[in-house]
Amino acid sequence: QDYLNAAVAFEKAIELNPLDYTHYENAATSNYLIGNYEKALDQINIVINELNPLNGKCEYIKAIIFIQIGDPIGACPFLETSRDSGYAQSQAAIEQYCK
């Protein structure tokens, strides 16, 4: 639960291996959890726009960031893509924010 140090560690991992999308996802999640939403969005956008693993998790992460910054409607397309990609956690958020 030391998300600040986790963010730093994952950012170092990105420097060492910038093609591993999980480093970006984990850095984005850590930054989200410490309230660094802009940095989290930048990191998750790299996954979505450049490394898209098509597993739905990156879209889910972007959606929860949108929800946290007060844009649940903007989160809905990402939640739907996440669900359609097989990421089951997105369904509960869809039911809460998108219906």
Side-chain angles (χ1 to χ4, degrees):
Q1 293 184 350
D2 184 1
Y3 301 117
L4 178 60
N5 283 324
V8 170
F10 286 119
E11 289 164 6
K12 287 180 183 176
I14 289 168
E15 291 176 16
L16 295 172
N17 186 0
L19 298 178
D20 187 337
Y21 73 90
T22 62
H23 298 324
Y24 291 93
E25 284 182 345
N26 291 327
T29 301
S30 297
N31 278 302
Y32 161 78
L33 290 168
I34 60 173
N36 194 349
Y37 304 125
E38 186 174 330
K39 192 168 199 177
L41 278 173
D42 289 343
Q43 291 165 331
I44 208 62
N45 281 335
I46 291 170
V47 179
I48 291 170
N49 298 327
E50 298 175 26
L51 305 170
N52 197 346
L54 302 173
N55 65 7
K57 184 177 180 182
C58 54
E59 291 86 1
Y60 178 78
I61 293 168
K62 185 167 183 172
I64 62 171
I65 295 167
F66 272 44
I67 291 165
Q68 187 62 37
I69 62 174
D71 187 6
I73 301 302
C76 292
F78 296 102
L79 289 169
E80 291 165 1
T81 299
S82 176
R83 177 199 58 209
D84 295 346
S85 298
Y87 197 72
Q89 284 181 300
S90 58
Q91 186 60 42
I94 288 171
E95 290 172 10
Q96 183 172 357
Y97 296 103
C98 304
K99 301 244 174 189

